[in-house]
């Protein structure tokens, strides 16, 4: 009875060390928070799989040595597949990125476990107490492996590895290469043993495995940092271009002020004649017309500029400024309302810029072919949410039912481009709500982003 409890208890401890190490390391590579319930669920499923696999070995269902080695490929793949489904369901991350993180985590944990086992097996003398010997060569190495895995996960979190890993998936070619390399690393030991069978893995070989871990992680980190720097330079160039658009708006406003000053001098000269003649009604009409003239020439531009200045996130302010400049050049009447300072994104900055960029680009394409082109942007931040609403005029009334479908596109027509991408972005954030409607001959699309979800 004691033997039974010891054997299955040891298997439970070993499988828990492996599964917990893989789960935590994968989640940290993705830059997400640990969900305890999911960790317990994965550890439980992992243990049950190991129980079934061990029973097949004990009963002799699997007895061919080469098949036992290749069997690991199916076993490891099954572990990763279950973990991938669990993580995608929980975090809704990119599929390829999730697979890559899970494969890399499996490779790291397995390598650390193999090294620890080899060290204790080679340096532990034989002893009569089989239970003590099993604890030394099996339980302790797995405990060390789990602690090492959790330490690596903590280090990767501090190094912001998840951000660099994400950069590798912004390009299809880089994503494909990273994905293939991660799968090869996960199965590299099984492939090597199939190609070059050995009786026993030496300690030197296991040491090489650790070096391989360091080399693989260093290569990924270096490549990701290089690509991130390239993306950063490109982003800075875009910001410079957007700031130039902002300066162009200021110069245009300054030119309008000069023009208004010249016109105002002429108007004042006319009013002085009316004042000299005692024409009170004429003076009142003059003041009313001058006020209307000022609002028509400068009021909207000054109002928009004041609203844009309340956006205290430089990338977002630059985006809005560049879009406004484009709209004004196209002769589209614009209105921007930002009642309170905008200081929080509510989602990842890149996703917020993409979302708002899609809405403004769609609004531009629809409004420019309408009879009276108009676009309105409202940004309203409260303590709990950020509301981004874009409204535009249109030539033909949009079909809201069709636009609500994921496969809807109006490529070549006036509206709809990018809506599918926008929905994919917003679905990543729990509590993020989108809504579209028609009101006063304007198409309205709004996004409500809760600030406490990110």
């Amino acid at each position: 009875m004691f033997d039974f409890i010891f054997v299955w208890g040891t298997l439970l401890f070993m499988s828990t060390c492996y599964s917990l190490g893989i789960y935590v390391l994968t989640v940290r590579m993705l830059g997400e928070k640990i969900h305890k319930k999911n960790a317990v669920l994965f550890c439980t499923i992992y243990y049950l799989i190991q129980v079934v696999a061990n029973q097949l070995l004990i009963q002799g269902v699997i007895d061919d040595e080469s098949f036992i080695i290749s069997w690991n490929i199916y076993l490891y793949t099954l572990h990763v597949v279950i973990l991938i489904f669990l993580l995608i369901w929980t975090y809704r991350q990119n599929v390829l990125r999730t697979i890559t993180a899970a494969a890399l985590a499996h490779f790291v944990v397995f390598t650390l476990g193999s090294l620890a086992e080899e060290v204790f097996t080679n340096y532990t003398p034989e002893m009569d107490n089989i239970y003590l010997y099993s604890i030394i060569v099996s339980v302790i190495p797995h405990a060390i492996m789990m602690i090492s895995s959790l330490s690596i996960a903590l280090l990767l979190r501090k190094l912001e590895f998840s951000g660099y890993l994400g950069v590798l998936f912004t390009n299809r070619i880089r994503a494909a290469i990273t994905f293939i390399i991660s799968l090869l690393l996960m199965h590299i030991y099984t492939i090597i043993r199939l190609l070059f069978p050995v009786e026993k893995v030496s300690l030197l070989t296991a040491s090489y495995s650790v070096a391989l871990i360091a080399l693989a992680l260093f290569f990924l980190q270096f490549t990701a940092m290089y690509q991130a720097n390239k993306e950063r330079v490109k982003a800075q160039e875009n910001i410079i271009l957007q700031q130039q658009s902002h300066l162009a708006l200021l110069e245009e406003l300054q030119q309008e002020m000069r023009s208004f000053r010249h016109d105002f001098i002429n108007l004042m000269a006319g009013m002085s004649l009316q004042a000299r003649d005692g024409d009170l009604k004429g003076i009142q009409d003059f003041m009313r017309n001058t006020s209307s003239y000022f609002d028509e020439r400068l009021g909207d531009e000054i109002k928009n500029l004041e609203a844009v200045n309340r956006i205290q996130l430089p990338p977002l302010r630059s985006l809005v400024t560049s879009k406004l400049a484009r709209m004004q050049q196209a002769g589209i009447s614009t209105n921007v309302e930002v009642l309170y300072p905008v200081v929080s994104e509510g989602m990842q900055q890149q996703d917020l810029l993409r979302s708002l960029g899609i809405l403004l680009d769609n609004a531009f394409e629809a409004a420019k072919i309408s009879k009276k082109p108009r676009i309105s942007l409202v940004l309203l931040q409260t303590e709990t949410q950020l509301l981004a609403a874009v409204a535009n005029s249109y030539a033909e009334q949009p079909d809201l039912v069709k636009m609500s479908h994921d496969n809807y596109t109006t490529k070549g027509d006036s509206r709809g481009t990018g809506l599918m991408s926008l929905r994919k972005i917003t679905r990543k954030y729990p509590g993020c709500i989108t809504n579209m409607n028609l009101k006063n001959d304007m198409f309205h699309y709004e996004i409500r982003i809760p600030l406490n979800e990110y």
Side-chain angles (χ1 to χ4, degrees), residues 246 304-311 317 320-321 324 336 338:
H246 186 67
N304 288 344
L305 192 59
E306 289 178 347
V308 170
N309 286 334
R310 294 192 190 99
I311 303 175
R317 183 171 61 243
V320 172
T321 300
L324 283 177
V336 181
V338 184

Side-chain angles (χ1 to χ4, degrees), residues 7 24 26 36 45 86 119 128 131 133 146 161 168 182 243-244 246 256 287 294 304 329 449 452:
V7 170
V24 173
T26 303
K36 294 181 180 179
I45 297 175
L86 186 62
V119 169
D128 295 332
Y131 300 112
Y133 182 79
M146 183 178 66
F161 181 82
L168 296 177
S182 66
Q243 288 176 341
Q244 290 176 347
H246 186 67
E256 289 288 348
M287 296 299 295
F294 179 83
N304 288 344
Q329 290 175 358
I449 309 166
N452 58 349

Side-chain angles (χ1 to χ4, degrees), residues 250-305:
L250 292 176
E251 291 176 358
E252 183 179 349
L253 181 60
Q254 185 182 37
Q255 183 63 35
E256 289 288 348
M257 288 291 292
R258 289 174 180 171
S259 176
F260 178 77
R261 177 178 175 274
H262 181 269
D263 294 342
F264 187 75
I265 291 174
N266 294 332
L267 293 171
M268 287 296 294
M271 189 183 70
S272 63
L273 294 177
Q274 291 175 318
R276 187 181 61 186
D277 296 337
D279 187 1
L280 181 60
K281 185 177 182 304
I283 294 176
Q284 291 175 340
D285 291 340
F286 168 80
M287 296 299 295
R288 184 170 54 253
N289 294 334
T290 301
S291 177
S292 176
Y293 177 77
F294 179 83
D295 288 339
E296 181 181 348
R297 294 288 300 272
L298 297 174
D300 290 341
E301 292 189 22
I302 293 177
K303 179 183 175 183
N304 288 344
L305 192 59

Side-chain angles (χ1 to χ4, degrees), residues 300 304 323-324 326-328 330-337 359-378 389-395 398 414-415 438-445:
D300 290 341
N304 288 344
K323 299 299 183 183
L324 283 177
R326 182 188 180 197
M327 293 171 187
Q328 290 181 359
I332 298 175
S333 175
T334 57
N335 178 49
V336 181
E337 294 184 17
L359 290 181
L360 292 174
D361 287 341
N362 283 351
F364 176 81
E365 294 299 326
K368 70 179 182 180
I369 60 174
S370 62
K371 293 182 179 179
K372 295 182 179 180
R374 291 175 295 158
I375 293 178
S376 174
L377 168 64
V378 175
V390 177
N392 61 268
S393 57
Y394 49 81
S414 62
R415 197 175 167 80
L438 299 174
K439 184 178 179 182
N440 298 329
D441 296 327
M442 298 279 283
F443 173 82
H444 297 256
Y445 199 111

